Amino acid sequence: MGGGDTAGRLVRPFALTGGRTRPSCADFTLIATVTAVDPPPANAARPQPEHTRILRMCAEPVAVAELAARLDLPVSVVAILLCDLLEAGRITVRPPRPVSRTPVDLDLLQKVRDGLGRL
């Protein structure tokens, strides 16, 4: 027996979260943007290997969904790991910006449609 799943992972997701099944803090949406704090807080504990991988990926802003895809982990597991990092002051999280509702210029849309129809 190999001991790992088809992706080669040797550690099950519940082990990565210490058996936790729910995030302890902020609700991380799929499109929330996560960025590593640089430099890290002086009093921050040494991160676990999974946390270190996330911090490397978050050197530039990255969406929660993209982190989960890159780590090949369920979003729920990534959210728990992100809570650990947020509570330690190692990351910042930006919720998605609300979309503003501007009036639609139907005349302009009709002109665009007509112009595309001539191509």
Side-chain angles (χ1 to χ4, degrees):
M1 286 185 107
D5 61 14
T6 57
R9 186 180 303 117
L10 297 175
V11 179
R12 298 285 183 210
F14 68 85
L16 298 176
T17 64
R20 294 171 290 162
T21 58
R22 297 189 191 279
S24 60
C25 58
D27 183 41
F28 291 93
T29 64
L30 292 175
I31 57 175
T33 306
V34 181
T35 309
V37 172
D38 188 33
N43 61 347
R46 184 172 172 214
Q48 298 295 324
E50 297 76 28
H51 294 119
T52 302
R53 287 181 62 205
I54 291 172
L55 290 170
R56 270 192 245 120
M57 291 179 193
C58 294
E60 298 291 324
V62 61
V64 172
E66 187 173 344
L67 277 173
R70 287 184 188 175
L71 292 166
D72 192 28
L73 289 171
V75 174
S76 58
V77 171
V78 173
I80 293 168
L81 296 173
L82 288 172
C83 279
D84 295 343
L85 292 170
L86 185 64
E87 290 170 352
R90 304 291 303 254
I91 61 170
T92 59
V93 181
R94 299 190 100 190
R97 294 183 194 168
V99 177
S100 63
R101 297 259 183 205
T102 57
V104 176
D105 184 349
L106 293 176
D107 186 48
L108 177 61
L109 290 175
Q110 181 68 37
K111 289 177 183 177
V112 170
R113 187 187 79 172
D114 293 344
L116 290 174
R118 284 183 252 155
L119 294 177

